[in-house]
C-alpha cells in the first residue's frame, strides 16, 4: 500500500511541513512547501490534460486545474496543495480500486503454469518458459498439474479433469493420440503431451484474451459520465460566476471551484464497471466487453437456443439404430467413440458414455477434424468416418462413411433442474422470452410448454433463421440478448445487442462472437449475469448522481461564503471517498 500511495504520501508530508512552518511563522518556508506540494501533486493532472487536448479529447479536470491556478494567483497556497493532494490521492485510489476489482480475473491468468519440463528421448529434460515451448516438442505433466499447452497425448493413457473449460465435474479418460487442452488438469499418472499449439493460440489463452479485452475497453457508461461532466462543468462555472457577482470575493470563487472538481465522475464509474466484471468472474462468467454491462441493463428481450442452454446439454442415447449390417454394433460404437472423445460437444460426451457402457473396444482415430455445424471426422484403418446431425431428424447423429449412413444415435434430453425457476424470474423482470432452436417443432414445443405459454418458440431454425429472427426483433425496437451453447449460434450472438454463450467447446466461433462467456452449463448464470449488470450499472449511476448532488450542494453553500477554500477542499475529498466506496460495492455483488 505504501508503494501504491507513494505520491499522495509525499504530497501529504510536504503539506504537514507547510502547516508546521506556518504555525512557527516561517511564512516563506510554509508557502514554498505548499507550492512544491501543489506542483508534485498537480503535475500528473496537467500532463494528462495536455495529452487529452492533443488527442482532441475533452478532459474532466479543467475545473481542478482552474482551481489550482486560482489558488496560486490569490496566494491561497495551502488550498492549492490540498487540491493537488486530493487529485493525487483520488487517482491513486482509483488505480488501487481497479486493481482490487481485477483480482479474480488475475487469478485466471495466475492459474496456468509459467514453465514446463521438456521430454526428450524417453527422459525428462530442461525446464523452460511456456512461451519458449515450440510446436512438436513434448512436455512432461505430473499428477495434479495443469496442462499448460494444447497437444496430443503420447503416453499410453491418461485421465483429465476438464471442468475448468466445460464446468462438468467428471473425469475424462484419454488414450494415446487424444487431444489434450490447456487449462485442464492431469488427475491420473504422469503423462507426456506433444504440443500442437503455441501459448498464444492455446485454449486457455483464449480465456485470458477475453479477460484482457474486458479490462482494456472503455464502456459507453464512462462516456456517459463524460457527458454528465460537461453539464456539471457548465453548472459549476455558473455557480462560481454567481458567487463572484454577489460578493466580488475571489476566495468564494475558489471555494466553489475546489468543491466542483468532478472526481466522482472520473473515479467511480470505471471502478464500478470493473467491479461488476470481477463479481461475474467469481461466478465463472467472463465479460469480454465492459459495454455489455450497460447494454444488458437495458435488455428487454432474451432469445435462447435450446439444446445445451435450456436443456441439460447432456442428452442420453435413447436408441442406437444400425442401418448397414456389415458392421457389428461393437465396431460402430468403437468407431464413434474413438472420434467423439476428441470433441467437447454435449452429444459427443453422450456417445462416448454409451459406448463405454456397452463395453465397446477402444481404438484410435487419426486426422481428427471438427467443423461447427458440419460434425467431426476421423480416419480409422485408412477409412474416413464422419459423425454429423441427420437432417430433419431433430436430435439424431449419424455415422457416415462417405455419403452412406451406417448407423444413427437417437437422443433424449432433459430441461435443466433450475430452468423453469430461472425463466419465471426473468419473466418477473419484464423480459420477453423466445426459443430459437434447430430441433423439430414437436420437441421444441414440448420444452416450450414446460416453460410457460408466454415463451415464444421458433423451431427447425438454421443459423441464418436465428439471425433473421433477431434482426426482426431489433427492427421492432427490442433490446436483445441471445443465449447459446457455443454451437451454430455465432451469427445470432454477433447480431444481438448482447451475446451470451455457454462455452462447452474451445475456440468456437460462438465464443468469439459473444460478449459474455459462461464457463460451464449452469443455467442460473444467465439470471446472475443480468442481476450483476443491473446492479453494477445502478451503482455506477448512483455514484455519479450522488457525487454531483453533494458537490452542487457544497458549491451552493460556498457561493454564500459558508464554506472557506480549505474546508471546501476537505469536503470534496470526502465526496470522492463516498463515491468510490459506493462504486466498490459492485465487486461484492452476490
Amino acid at each position: 500500500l505504501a508503494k501504491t500511495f507513494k505520491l499522495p504520501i509525499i504530497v501529504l508530508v510536504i503539506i504537514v511541513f507547510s502547516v508546521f512552518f506556518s504555525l512557527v511563522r516561517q511564512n516563506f518556508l510554509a508557502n514554498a512547501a505548499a507550492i512544491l506540494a501543489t506542483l508534485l501533486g498537480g503535475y500528473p493532472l496537467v500532463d494528462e490534460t495536455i495529452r487529452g487536448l492533443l488527442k482532441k479529447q475533452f478532459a474532466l479536470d479543467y475545473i481542478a486545474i482552474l482551481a489550482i491556478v486560482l489558488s496560486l494567483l490569490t496566494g491561497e497556497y495551502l488550498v492549492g496543495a490540498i487540491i493537488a493532494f486530493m487529485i493525487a490521492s483520488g487517482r491513486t485510489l482509483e488505480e488501487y480500486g481497479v486493481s482490487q476489482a481485477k483480482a479474480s480475473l488475475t487469478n485466471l491468468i495466475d492459474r496456468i503454469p509459467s514453465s514446463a519440463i521438456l521430454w526428450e528421448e524417453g527422459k525428462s529434460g530442461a525446464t523452460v518458459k511456456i512461451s519458449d515451448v515450440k510446436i512438436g516438442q513434448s512436455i512432461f505433466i505430473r499428477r495434479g498439474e495443469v496442462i499448460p499447452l494444447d497437444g496430443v497425448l503420447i503416453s499410453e493413457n491418461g485421465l483429465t479433469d476438464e471442468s475448468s473449460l466445460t464446468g462438468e465435474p467428471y473425469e475424462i479418460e484419454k488414450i494415446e493420440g487424444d487431444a489434450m487442452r490447456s487449462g485442464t488438469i492431469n488427475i491420473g499418472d504422469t503423462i507426456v503431451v506433444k504440443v500442437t499449439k503455441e501459448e498464444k493460440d492455446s485454449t486457455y489463452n483464449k480465456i485470458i484474451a477475453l479477460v484482457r479485452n474486458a479490462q482494456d475497453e472503455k464502456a459507453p457508461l464512462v462516456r456517459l459520465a463524460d457527458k454528465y461532466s460537461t453539464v456539471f462543468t457548465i453548472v459549476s462555472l455558473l455557480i462560481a460566476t454567481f458567487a463572484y457577482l454577489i460578493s466580488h470575493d475571489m476566495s468564494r470563487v475558489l471555494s466553489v471551484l475546489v468543491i466542483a472538481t468532478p472526481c466522482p465522475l472520473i473515479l467511480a464509474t470505471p471502478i464500478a464497471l470493473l467491479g461488476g466484471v470481477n463479481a461475474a468472474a467469481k461466478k465463472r462468467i467472463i465479460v469480454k466487453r465492459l459495454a455489455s454491462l450497460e447494454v444488458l441493463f437495458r435488455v428487454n428481450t432474451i432469445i435462447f437456443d435450446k439444446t445445451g442452454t435450456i436443456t441439460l446439454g447432456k442428452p442420453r442415447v435413447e436408441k442406437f439404430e444400425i442401418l448397414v449390417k456389415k458392421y457389428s454394433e461393437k465396431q460402430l460404437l468403437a468407431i464413434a467413440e474413438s472420434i467423439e472423445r476428441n470433441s467437447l460437444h454435449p452429444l459427443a460426451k453422450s456417445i462416448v458414455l454409451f459406448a463405454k457402457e456397452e463395453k465397446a473396444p477402444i481404438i484410435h482415430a487419426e486426422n481428427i477434424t471438427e467443423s461447427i455445424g458440419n460434425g467431426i471426422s476421423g480416419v480409422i484403418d485408412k477409412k474416413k468416418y464422419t459423425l454429423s446431425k441427420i437432417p430433419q431428424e431433430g436430435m439424431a447423429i449419424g455415422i457416415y462413411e462417405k455419403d452412406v449412413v451406417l448407423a444413427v444415435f437417437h437422443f433424449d434430453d432433459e430441461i435443466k433442474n433450475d430452468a423453469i425457476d430461472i425463466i419465471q424470474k426473468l419473466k418477473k423482470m419484464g423480459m420477453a422470452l423466445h426459443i430459437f432452436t434447430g430441433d423439430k417443432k414437436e420437441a421444441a414445443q414440448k420444452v416450450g410448454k414446460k416453460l410457460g405459454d408466454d415463451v415464444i418458440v421458433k423451431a427447425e431454425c438454421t443459423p441464418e433463421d436465428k439471425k433473421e429472427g433477431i434482426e426482426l426483433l431489433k427492427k421492432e425496437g427490442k433490446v436483445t440478448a441471445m443465449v447459446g451453447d457455443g454451437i451454430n449460434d455465432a451469427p445470432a450472438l454477433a447480431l444481438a445487442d448482447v451475446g451470451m454463450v455457454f462455452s462447452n467447446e474451445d475456440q468456437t466461433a460462438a465464443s468469439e462472437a459473444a460478449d459474455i462467456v459462461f464457463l460451464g452449463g449452469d443455467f442460473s448464470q444467465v439470471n446472475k449475469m443480468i442481476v450483476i449488470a443491473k446492479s453494477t450499472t445502478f451503482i455506477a449511476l448512483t455514484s455519479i448522481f450522488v457525487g454531483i448532488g453533494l458537490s452542487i450542494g457544497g458549491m451552493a453553500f460556498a457561493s454564500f461564503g459558508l464554506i472557506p477554500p480549505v474546508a471546501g477542499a476537505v469536503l470534496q475529498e470526502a465526496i470522492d471517498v463516498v463515491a468510490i466506496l459506493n462504486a466498490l460495492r459492485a465487486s461484492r455483488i452476490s
Side-chain angles (χ1 to χ4, degrees):
L1 281 176
K3 185 177 180 181
T4 302
F5 288 89
K6 183 178 179 181
L7 179 60
I9 290 172
I10 292 173
V11 173
L12 180 60
V13 169
I14 296 173
I15 289 174
V16 170
F17 274 106
S18 175
V19 173
F20 171 76
F21 289 136
S22 180
L23 292 174
V24 297
R25 304 195 178 197
Q26 296 292 324
N27 292 334
F28 174 77
L29 292 176
N31 292 338
I35 292 171
L36 177 61
T38 303
L39 295 176
L40 282 175
Y43 172 76
L45 169 65
V46 175
D47 180 64
E48 183 179 317
T49 301
I50 292 173
R51 290 176 185 272
L53 288 173
L54 292 175
K55 295 178 182 178
K56 298 181 180 180
Q57 295 175 345
F58 179 78
L60 294 175
D61 280 331
Y62 292 146
I63 290 181
I65 294 174
L66 182 59
I68 289 174
V69 171
L70 187 58
S71 68
L72 294 175
L73 292 176
T74 57
E76 294 278 2
Y77 303 120
L78 183 59
V79 173
I82 293 174
I83 296 172
F85 170 72
M86 175 182 67
I87 295 296
S89 60
R91 290 179 179 274
T92 305
L93 187 57
E94 175 190 8
E95 292 172 6
Y96 178 72
V98 167
S99 68
Q100 291 297 102
K102 291 179 179 178
S104 288
L105 304 182
T106 302
N107 290 339
L108 285 173
I109 299 172
D110 292 342
R111 182 177 180 274
I112 210 77
S114 59
S115 61
I117 301 173
L118 295 179
W119 182 263
E120 302 169 345
E121 298 179 0
K123 63 179 181 179
S124 59
T127 299
V128 297
K129 292 180 179 178
I130 294 297
S131 57
D132 292 335
V133 179
K134 305 299 181 185
I135 293 174
Q137 290 186 305
S138 297
I139 55 177
F140 185 71
I141 313 292
R142 289 169 291 206
R143 186 186 186 95
E145 290 184 336
V146 175
I147 298 172
L149 296 166
D150 289 23
V152 294
L153 183 66
I154 61 175
S155 299
E156 259 186 57
N157 51 62
L159 193 64
T160 61
D161 173 5
E162 298 192 350
S163 60
S164 61
L165 296 182
T166 67
E168 298 172 6
Y170 47 73
E171 303 167 349
I172 306 295
E173 294 181 2
K174 302 282 187 176
I175 66 168
E176 184 179 352
D178 282 351
M180 308 294 283
R181 293 173 176 82
S182 60
T184 61
I185 302 172
N186 174 31
I187 57 176
D189 295 331
T190 297
I191 57 174
V192 178
V193 174
K194 185 177 180 179
V195 175
T196 57
K197 292 180 182 177
E198 293 182 351
E199 181 187 30
K200 62 184 176 63
D201 299 318
S202 69
T203 298
Y204 202 73
N205 205 57
K206 285 285 185 178
I207 297 175
I208 294 172
L210 303 187
V211 171
R212 286 176 175 156
N213 288 342
Q215 293 176 342
D216 293 340
E217 183 170 326
K218 186 180 182 184
L221 196 63
V222 176
R223 292 190 286 273
L224 191 62
D226 292 348
K227 294 178 183 178
Y228 286 135
S229 181
T230 303
V231 176
F232 181 65
T233 299
I234 294 171
V235 170
S236 301
L237 292 175
L238 289 174
I239 295 175
T241 302
F242 171 76
Y244 180 76
L245 291 175
I246 65 172
S247 67
H248 296 284
D249 183 356
M250 293 303 294
S251 179
R252 287 196 191 185
V253 175
L254 179 59
S255 295
V256 171
L257 294 178
V258 166
I259 298 172
T261 53
C263 290
L265 301 179
I266 302 168
L267 308 179
T269 305
I271 291 175
L273 292 177
L274 282 164
V277 173
N278 177 55
K282 290 176 183 177
K283 299 182 185 300
R284 303 179 74 246
I285 302 171
I286 299 297
V287 179
K288 289 172 59 179
R289 299 181 181 90
L290 288 178
S292 58
L293 289 173
E294 191 271 335
V295 178
L296 196 54
F297 176 77
R298 298 185 286 109
V299 161
N300 53 31
T301 303
I302 304 179
I303 304 95
F304 296 96
D305 177 47
K306 183 178 77 68
T307 305
T309 303
I310 290 177
T311 59
L312 286 173
K314 299 178 186 177
R316 56 184 177 83
V317 177
E318 186 179 39
K319 179 183 176 184
F320 182 53
E321 182 182 6
I322 299 174
L323 302 180
V324 177
K325 303 300 181 183
K326 73 174 183 177
Y327 290 93
S328 69
E329 180 181 272
K330 291 283 195 293
Q331 284 177 308
L332 290 167
L333 289 176
I335 290 169
E337 192 274 343
S338 66
I339 295 172
E340 291 286 29
R341 70 168 174 264
N342 291 282
S343 173
L344 290 175
H345 192 291
L347 296 182
K349 292 191 182 331
S350 299
I351 291 172
V352 171
L353 182 61
F354 182 74
K356 187 176 180 180
E357 290 172 346
E358 296 297 317
K359 303 189 184 317
I362 295 176
I363 60 177
H364 176 57
E366 299 176 326
N367 299 329
I368 301 293
T369 57
E370 186 167 14
S371 174
I372 296 171
N374 296 315
I376 185 168
S377 301
V379 176
I380 301 168
D381 294 333
K382 298 182 180 180
K383 291 183 179 180
K384 183 178 179 180
Y385 299 92
T386 300
L387 281 91
S388 182
K389 282 189 175 182
I390 302 288
Q392 308 302 321
E393 286 289 332
M395 277 206 302
I397 296 290
I399 305 175
Y400 291 80
E401 183 182 354
K402 295 183 179 179
D403 295 328
V404 179
V405 184
L406 305 179
V408 179
F409 291 94
H410 298 275
F411 300 88
D412 186 27
D413 202 358
E414 297 178 24
I415 291 177
K416 293 178 180 178
N417 291 332
D418 56 353
I420 295 175
D421 180 50
I422 298 301
I423 289 292
Q424 293 304 317
K425 288 181 178 179
L426 295 175
K427 288 178 185 177
K428 289 178 180 177
M429 289 184 191
M431 300 288 181
L433 304 176
H434 298 252
I435 295 176
F436 290 176
T437 177
D439 282 357
K440 278 188 165 184
K441 188 174 182 180
E442 184 180 337
Q445 289 182 338
K446 182 180 176 181
V447 171
K449 285 181 180 179
K450 291 181 180 178
L451 298 175
D453 293 335
D454 46 354
V455 176
I456 301 170
V457 179
K458 185 178 180 182
E460 300 180 20
C461 293
T462 64
E464 185 63 28
D465 291 333
K466 293 182 180 182
K467 179 173 174 288
E468 290 175 357
I470 290 175
E471 282 178 344
L472 182 60
L473 290 169
K474 292 180 74 172
K475 285 178 182 177
E476 294 173 358
K478 308 293 186 184
V479 183
T480 60
M482 171 70 192
V483 185
D485 68 341
I487 310 299
N488 293 329
D489 294 320
L493 288 163
L495 181 63
D497 295 297
V498 179
M500 299 188 282
V501 62
F502 289 97
S503 183
N504 289 324
E505 185 170 342
D506 63 312
Q507 298 185 25
T508 63
S511 292
E512 293 296 328
D515 302 295
I516 296 168
V517 180
F518 303 122
L519 300 181
D522 183 359
F523 190 69
S524 66
Q525 286 178 308
V526 177
N527 183 63
K528 290 174 184 175
M529 188 63 247
I530 292 173
V531 170
I532 288 171
K534 288 183 176 293
S535 299
T536 298
T537 307
F538 178 77
I539 287 171
L541 290 170
T542 300
S543 291
I544 289 173
F545 290 120
V546 167
I548 288 176
L550 292 174
S551 295
I552 289 175
M555 285 188 286
F557 281 101
S559 67
F560 289 102
L562 300 175
I563 302 176
V566 173
V570 174
L571 176 61
Q572 182 55 48
E573 184 74 2
I575 293 172
D576 290 349
V577 171
V578 169
I580 291 169
L581 290 177
N582 181 65
L584 285 171
R585 292 191 300 119
S587 292
R588 299 190 294 273
I589 297 170
S590 59

